[in-house]
PDB file of all heavy atoms in Angstrom:
ATOM      1  N   ARG V 715     -15.016  11.884  -3.798  1.00 96.00           N
ATOM      2  CA  ARG V 715     -15.323  10.615  -3.145  1.00 96.00           C
ATOM      3  C   ARG V 715     -14.382   9.518  -3.645  1.00 96.00           C
ATOM      4  O   ARG V 715     -13.835   8.741  -2.848  1.00 96.00           O
ATOM      5  CB  ARG V 715     -16.774  10.232  -3.428  1.00 96.00           C
ATOM      6  CG  ARG V 715     -17.156   8.836  -2.952  1.00 96.00           C
ATOM      7  CD  ARG V 715     -18.604   8.504  -3.305  1.00 96.00           C
ATOM      8  NE  ARG V 715     -18.890   7.112  -3.079  1.00 96.00           N
ATOM      9  CZ  ARG V 715     -18.639   6.134  -3.964  1.00 96.00           C
ATOM     10  NH1 ARG V 715     -18.116   6.443  -5.148  1.00 96.00           N
ATOM     11  NH2 ARG V 715     -18.916   4.880  -3.679  1.00 96.00           N
ATOM     12  N   SER V 716     -14.180   9.450  -4.957  1.00 97.00           N
ATOM     13  CA  SER V 716     -13.295   8.429  -5.524  1.00 97.00           C
ATOM     14  C   SER V 716     -11.860   8.598  -5.045  1.00 97.00           C
ATOM     15  O   SER V 716     -11.161   7.613  -4.791  1.00 97.00           O
ATOM     16  CB  SER V 716     -13.353   8.466  -7.057  1.00 97.00           C
ATOM     17  OG  SER V 716     -14.603   8.003  -7.516  1.00 97.00           O
ATOM     18  N   ILE V 717     -11.416   9.843  -4.909  1.00 98.00           N
ATOM     19  CA  ILE V 717     -10.065  10.104  -4.400  1.00 98.00           C
ATOM     20  C   ILE V 717      -9.939   9.611  -2.965  1.00 98.00           C
ATOM     21  O   ILE V 717      -8.960   8.935  -2.602  1.00 98.00           O
ATOM     22  CB  ILE V 717      -9.735  11.607  -4.502  1.00 98.00           C
ATOM     23  CG1 ILE V 717      -9.570  12.022  -5.964  1.00 98.00           C
ATOM     24  CG2 ILE V 717      -8.465  11.939  -3.703  1.00 98.00           C
ATOM     25  CD1 ILE V 717      -9.492  13.520  -6.168  1.00 98.00           C
ATOM     26  N   ALA V 718     -10.924   9.936  -2.136  1.00 98.00           N
ATOM     27  CA  ALA V 718     -10.893   9.504  -0.739  1.00 98.00           C
ATOM     28  C   ALA V 718     -10.843   7.984  -0.633  1.00 98.00           C
ATOM     29  O   ALA V 718     -10.058   7.422   0.153  1.00 98.00           O
ATOM     30  CB  ALA V 718     -12.105  10.054   0.010  1.00 98.00           C
ATOM     31  N   LEU V 719     -11.657   7.296  -1.418  1.00 98.00           N
ATOM     32  CA  LEU V 719     -11.705   5.840  -1.355  1.00 98.00           C
ATOM     33  C   LEU V 719     -10.420   5.211  -1.900  1.00 98.00           C
ATOM     34  O   LEU V 719      -9.916   4.226  -1.338  1.00 98.00           O
ATOM     35  CB  LEU V 719     -12.910   5.325  -2.131  1.00 98.00           C
ATOM     36  CG  LEU V 719     -14.285   5.727  -1.590  1.00 98.00           C
ATOM     37  CD1 LEU V 719     -15.399   5.112  -2.418  1.00 98.00           C
ATOM     38  CD2 LEU V 719     -14.434   5.349  -0.123  1.00 98.00           C
ATOM     39  N   LYS V 720      -9.877   5.768  -2.961  1.00 98.00           N
ATOM     40  CA  LYS V 720      -8.632   5.235  -3.515  1.00 98.00           C
ATOM     41  C   LYS V 720      -7.481   5.390  -2.515  1.00 98.00           C
ATOM     42  O   LYS V 720      -6.685   4.451  -2.317  1.00 98.00           O
ATOM     43  CB  LYS V 720      -8.294   5.944  -4.828  1.00 98.00           C
ATOM     44  CG  LYS V 720      -6.974   5.500  -5.461  1.00 98.00           C
ATOM     45  CD  LYS V 720      -7.007   4.035  -5.856  1.00 98.00           C
ATOM     46  CE  LYS V 720      -5.708   3.610  -6.534  1.00 98.00           C
ATOM     47  NZ  LYS V 720      -5.727   2.173  -6.918  1.00 98.00           N
ATOM     48  N   MET V 721      -7.388   6.542  -1.887  1.00 98.00           N
ATOM     49  CA  MET V 721      -6.307   6.755  -0.931  1.00 98.00           C
ATOM     50  C   MET V 721      -6.501   5.891   0.315  1.00 98.00           C
ATOM     51  O   MET V 721      -5.534   5.419   0.907  1.00 98.00           O
ATOM     52  CB  MET V 721      -6.183   8.238  -0.588  1.00 98.00           C
ATOM     53  CG  MET V 721      -5.721   9.065  -1.782  1.00 98.00           C
ATOM     54  SD  MET V 721      -4.914  10.629  -1.337  1.00 98.00           S
ATOM     55  CE  MET V 721      -6.231  11.423  -0.470  1.00 98.00           C
ATOM     56  N   ALA V 722      -7.748   5.662   0.719  1.00 98.00           N
ATOM     57  CA  ALA V 722      -8.007   4.746   1.838  1.00 98.00           C
ATOM     58  C   ALA V 722      -7.586   3.326   1.461  1.00 98.00           C
ATOM     59  O   ALA V 722      -6.973   2.611   2.269  1.00 98.00           O
ATOM     60  CB  ALA V 722      -9.482   4.787   2.213  1.00 98.00           C
ATOM     61  N   GLN V 723      -7.899   2.939   0.242  1.00 98.00           N
ATOM     62  CA  GLN V 723      -7.492   1.617  -0.235  1.00 98.00           C
ATOM     63  C   GLN V 723      -5.972   1.479  -0.224  1.00 98.00           C
ATOM     64  O   GLN V 723      -5.437   0.385   0.022  1.00 98.00           O
ATOM     65  CB  GLN V 723      -8.019   1.415  -1.657  1.00 98.00           C
ATOM     66  CG  GLN V 723      -7.783   0.033  -2.230  1.00 98.00           C
ATOM     67  CD  GLN V 723      -8.345  -0.099  -3.634  1.00 98.00           C
ATOM     68  OE1 GLN V 723      -8.585   0.890  -4.328  1.00 98.00           O
ATOM     69  NE2 GLN V 723      -8.578  -1.319  -4.068  1.00 98.00           N
ATOM     70  N   GLU V 724      -5.283   2.594  -0.449  1.00 98.00           N
ATOM     71  CA  GLU V 724      -3.816   2.590  -0.456  1.00 98.00           C
ATOM     72  C   GLU V 724      -3.224   2.764   0.943  1.00 98.00           C
ATOM     73  O   GLU V 724      -2.010   2.870   1.090  1.00 98.00           O
ATOM     74  CB  GLU V 724      -3.303   3.699  -1.378  1.00 98.00           C
ATOM     75  CG  GLU V 724      -3.593   3.473  -2.855  1.00 98.00           C
ATOM     76  CD  GLU V 724      -2.660   2.466  -3.499  1.00 98.00           C
ATOM     77  OE1 GLU V 724      -1.757   1.953  -2.806  1.00 98.00           O
ATOM     78  OE2 GLU V 724      -2.830   2.185  -4.699  1.00 98.00           O
ATOM     79  N   GLY V 725      -4.088   2.843   1.979  1.00 98.00           N
ATOM     80  CA  GLY V 725      -3.584   2.829   3.345  1.00 98.00           C
ATOM     81  C   GLY V 725      -3.693   4.118   4.129  1.00 98.00           C
ATOM     82  O   GLY V 725      -3.271   4.169   5.287  1.00 98.00           O
ATOM     83  N   ALA V 726      -4.254   5.178   3.532  1.00 98.00           N
ATOM     84  CA  ALA V 726      -4.305   6.470   4.220  1.00 98.00           C
ATOM     85  C   ALA V 726      -5.555   6.595   5.085  1.00 98.00           C
ATOM     86  O   ALA V 726      -6.616   6.063   4.763  1.00 98.00           O
ATOM     87  CB  ALA V 726      -4.290   7.609   3.198  1.00 98.00           C
ATOM     88  N   ASP V 727      -5.411   7.321   6.194  1.00 98.00           N
ATOM     89  CA  ASP V 727      -6.559   7.776   6.973  1.00 98.00           C
ATOM     90  C   ASP V 727      -7.055   9.075   6.342  1.00 98.00           C
ATOM     91  O   ASP V 727      -6.249   9.900   5.896  1.00 98.00           O
ATOM     92  CB  ASP V 727      -6.168   8.007   8.429  1.00 98.00           C
ATOM     93  CG  ASP V 727      -5.718   6.724   9.119  1.00 98.00           C
ATOM     94  OD1 ASP V 727      -6.285   5.651   8.809  1.00 98.00           O
ATOM     95  OD2 ASP V 727      -4.803   6.780   9.963  1.00 98.00           O
ATOM     96  N   ILE V 728      -8.372   9.272   6.326  1.00 98.00           N
ATOM     97  CA  ILE V 728      -8.960  10.330   5.504  1.00 98.00           C
ATOM     98  C   ILE V 728      -9.807  11.296   6.322  1.00 98.00           C
ATOM     99  O   ILE V 728     -10.678  10.876   7.090  1.00 98.00           O
ATOM    100  CB  ILE V 728      -9.857   9.747   4.389  1.00 98.00           C
ATOM    101  CG1 ILE V 728      -9.103   8.688   3.566  1.00 98.00           C
ATOM    102  CG2 ILE V 728     -10.392  10.850   3.496  1.00 98.00           C
ATOM    103  CD1 ILE V 728      -7.950   9.219   2.756  1.00 98.00           C
ATOM    104  N   VAL V 729      -9.557  12.593   6.116  1.00 98.00           N
ATOM    105  CA  VAL V 729     -10.456  13.643   6.584  1.00 98.00           C
ATOM    106  C   VAL V 729     -11.358  14.019   5.414  1.00 98.00           C
ATOM    107  O   VAL V 729     -10.880  14.435   4.355  1.00 98.00           O
ATOM    108  CB  VAL V 729      -9.693  14.890   7.062  1.00 98.00           C
ATOM    109  CG1 VAL V 729     -10.685  15.995   7.458  1.00 98.00           C
ATOM    110  CG2 VAL V 729      -8.784  14.553   8.230  1.00 98.00           C
ATOM    111  N   ILE V 730     -12.666  13.840   5.603  1.00 98.00           N
ATOM    112  CA  ILE V 730     -13.652  14.199   4.595  1.00 98.00           C
ATOM    113  C   ILE V 730     -14.153  15.597   4.944  1.00 98.00           C
ATOM    114  O   ILE V 730     -14.893  15.772   5.916  1.00 98.00           O
ATOM    115  CB  ILE V 730     -14.811  13.191   4.580  1.00 98.00           C
ATOM    116  CG1 ILE V 730     -14.289  11.788   4.278  1.00 98.00           C
ATOM    117  CG2 ILE V 730     -15.884  13.613   3.580  1.00 98.00           C
ATOM    118  CD1 ILE V 730     -15.264  10.690   4.661  1.00 98.00           C
ATOM    119  N   ALA V 731     -13.719  16.580   4.188  1.00 97.00           N
ATOM    120  CA  ALA V 731     -14.090  17.976   4.457  1.00 97.00           C
ATOM    121  C   ALA V 731     -15.214  18.370   3.513  1.00 97.00           C
ATOM    122  O   ALA V 731     -15.024  18.427   2.299  1.00 97.00           O
ATOM    123  CB  ALA V 731     -12.887  18.895   4.264  1.00 97.00           C
ATOM    124  N   GLU V 732     -16.389  18.621   4.085  1.00 95.00           N
ATOM    125  CA  GLU V 732     -17.578  18.902   3.279  1.00 95.00           C
ATOM    126  C   GLU V 732     -18.334  20.097   3.852  1.00 95.00           C
ATOM    127  O   GLU V 732     -18.462  20.236   5.062  1.00 95.00           O
ATOM    128  CB  GLU V 732     -18.519  17.694   3.262  1.00 95.00           C
ATOM    129  CG  GLU V 732     -18.243  16.698   2.154  1.00 95.00           C
ATOM    130  CD  GLU V 732     -18.673  17.208   0.790  1.00 95.00           C
ATOM    131  OE1 GLU V 732     -19.374  18.239   0.701  1.00 95.00           O
ATOM    132  OE2 GLU V 732     -18.307  16.565  -0.215  1.00 95.00           O
ATOM    133  N   TRP V 733     -18.857  20.936   2.961  1.00 91.00           N
ATOM    134  CA  TRP V 733     -19.715  22.036   3.392  1.00 91.00           C
ATOM    135  C   TRP V 733     -20.960  21.503   4.082  1.00 91.00           C
ATOM    136  O   TRP V 733     -21.379  22.004   5.115  1.00 91.00           O
ATOM    137  CB  TRP V 733     -20.093  22.883   2.182  1.00 91.00           C
ATOM    138  CG  TRP V 733     -21.058  23.984   2.502  1.00 91.00           C
ATOM    139  CD1 TRP V 733     -20.781  25.148   3.164  1.00 91.00           C
ATOM    140  CD2 TRP V 733     -22.450  24.026   2.204  1.00 91.00           C
ATOM    141  NE1 TRP V 733     -21.910  25.910   3.295  1.00 91.00           N
ATOM    142  CE2 TRP V 733     -22.956  25.248   2.712  1.00 91.00           C
ATOM    143  CE3 TRP V 733     -23.322  23.165   1.545  1.00 91.00           C
ATOM    144  CZ2 TRP V 733     -24.292  25.605   2.586  1.00 91.00           C
ATOM    145  CZ3 TRP V 733     -24.655  23.527   1.419  1.00 91.00           C
ATOM    146  CH2 TRP V 733     -25.124  24.742   1.941  1.00 91.00           C
ATOM    147  N   ASN V 734     -21.541  20.461   3.503  1.00 88.00           N
ATOM    148  CA  ASN V 734     -22.696  19.788   4.098  1.00 88.00           C
ATOM    149  C   ASN V 734     -22.260  18.390   4.515  1.00 88.00           C
ATOM    150  O   ASN V 734     -22.134  17.498   3.673  1.00 88.00           O
ATOM    151  CB  ASN V 734     -23.854  19.706   3.099  1.00 88.00           C
ATOM    152  CG  ASN V 734     -25.059  18.971   3.659  1.00 88.00           C
ATOM    153  OD1 ASN V 734     -25.077  18.581   4.830  1.00 88.00           O
ATOM    154  ND2 ASN V 734     -26.066  18.769   2.828  1.00 88.00           N
ATOM    155  N   PRO V 735     -22.008  18.166   5.800  1.00 86.00           N
ATOM    156  CA  PRO V 735     -21.470  16.875   6.233  1.00 86.00           C
ATOM    157  C   PRO V 735     -22.382  15.696   5.916  1.00 86.00           C
ATOM    158  O   PRO V 735     -21.904  14.560   5.822  1.00 86.00           O
ATOM    159  CB  PRO V 735     -21.279  17.053   7.744  1.00 86.00           C
ATOM    160  CG  PRO V 735     -22.167  18.180   8.123  1.00 86.00           C
ATOM    161  CD  PRO V 735     -22.218  19.081   6.940  1.00 86.00           C
ATOM    162  N   GLU V 736     -23.684  15.944   5.725  1.00 90.00           N
ATOM    163  CA  GLU V 736     -24.589  14.855   5.361  1.00 90.00           C
ATOM    164  C   GLU V 736     -24.127  14.185   4.068  1.00 90.00           C
ATOM    165  O   GLU V 736     -24.298  12.977   3.880  1.00 90.00           O
ATOM    166  CB  GLU V 736     -26.021  15.384   5.202  1.00 90.00           C
ATOM    167  CG  GLU V 736     -26.696  15.782   6.507  1.00 90.00           C
ATOM    168  CD  GLU V 736     -26.919  14.589   7.427  1.00 90.00           C
ATOM    169  OE1 GLU V 736     -27.328  13.524   6.928  1.00 90.00           O
ATOM    170  OE2 GLU V 736     -26.675  14.727   8.639  1.00 90.00           O
TER     171      GLU V 736
END
Side-chain angles (χ1 to χ4, degrees):
R715 172 182 169 275
S716 290
I717 290 170
L719 296 182
K720 178 63 178 180
M721 293 204 299
Q723 186 179 20
E724 292 283 359
D727 297 325
I728 307 294
V729 176
I730 300 162
E732 271 287 349
W733 176 74
N734 178 4
E736 289 295 318

